[in-house]
Amino acid sequence: MDFQTSVLGRMSGFLYRCRADENYTMLDMTDGIERIFGYPVDEIVGNRARTFTSIMFEEDVPLMDEVVGRALESRTDWTMEYRIRHRDGHLVWVTETGGGVWDEAGELLYLEGSIINIESLYQRIDEQTSGMRVTASKTNEILQSLRYLKLLAVNAGIEAARAGTAGSGFAVLAAEMRSLANSSEEAARAISHAQRKAD
């Protein structure tokens, strides 16, 4: 097996060459489109059975048009993430790196590039952020508990004042409760703020 065939067979995606039209009409594609996404090459090349944009998540098509358009204007490559709908219906996140190819007269001939499945990466990110969301909810619960502790400390201080000298020890305890609640609340708020920035 030759080098290119061997490497492309391991690739979780495909290479393409297409026209710069509204459907990104495919001129050529490697067989990763079928292996990874379930669509035979001959269904998409030349729009024989479906267009490339028809297998994209429809909300991502305008973004692609914008990113590709800007890159062609500046004659630079583009990299973007979007979703392709697998033949069985579920959406798969991909990253595409591509660029235009021009002739010697400066006329745009076609677009070409690579499209790689990054769904597993998105799943790992989602798992990590779900853990952060659980922690954030627990932080909110802690903040509620600390507010209640502060209220108890205030009430304890009032009762200690009413008891006069007999309540002096209780007053010290109430002051310590307030101090603990305040410092803990500051720490919890800092954690909550850091989590929101990370999101």
Side-chain angles (χ1 to χ4, degrees), residues 2-115:
D2 69 88
F3 169 71
Q4 290 187 359
T5 302
S6 178
V7 172
L8 289 173
R10 301 174 195 278
M11 183 177 172
S12 185
F14 59 95
L15 306 180
Y16 71 87
R17 178 172 285 176
C18 70
R19 298 191 190 283
D21 58 20
E22 62 177 347
N23 293 317
Y24 299 101
T25 300
M26 289 294 164
L27 302 171
D28 200 1
M29 311 171 78
T30 56
D31 63 5
I33 184 70
E34 181 170 11
R35 183 164 37 82
I36 308 299
F37 303 98
Y39 301 100
V41 171
D42 60 8
E43 283 189 8
I44 300 178
V45 169
N47 302 330
R48 292 187 186 113
R50 66 189 82 243
T51 65
F52 182 72
T53 50
S54 73
I55 69 171
M56 288 180 61
F57 184 50
E58 52 276 9
E59 293 180 12
D60 295 342
V61 176
L63 173 63
M64 171 174 270
D65 293 340
E66 181 183 346
V67 170
V68 171
R70 284 202 309 263
L72 292 177
E73 285 178 10
S74 59
R75 294 206 175 194
T76 57
D77 292 344
W78 63 82
T79 297
M80 62 175 293
E81 286 76 44
Y82 58 90
R83 288 155 287 185
I84 288 178
R85 192 175 301 280
H86 192 281
R87 194 182 186 98
D88 67 12
H90 70 275
L91 293 172
V92 179
W93 276 101
V94 301
T95 183
E96 174 178 332
T97 300
V101 178
W102 287 263
D103 65 17
E104 293 179 357
E107 291 294 320
L108 180 63
L109 298 175
Y110 40 75
L111 314 177
E112 62 183 16
S114 64
I115 296 174

Side-chain angles (χ1 to χ4, degrees), residues 117-131:
N117 176 2
I118 56 169
E119 184 64 22
S120 60
L121 173 61
Y122 268 77
Q123 287 175 351
R124 286 199 300 274
I125 291 172
D126 187 60
E127 288 168 3
Q128 291 170 354
T129 55
S130 68

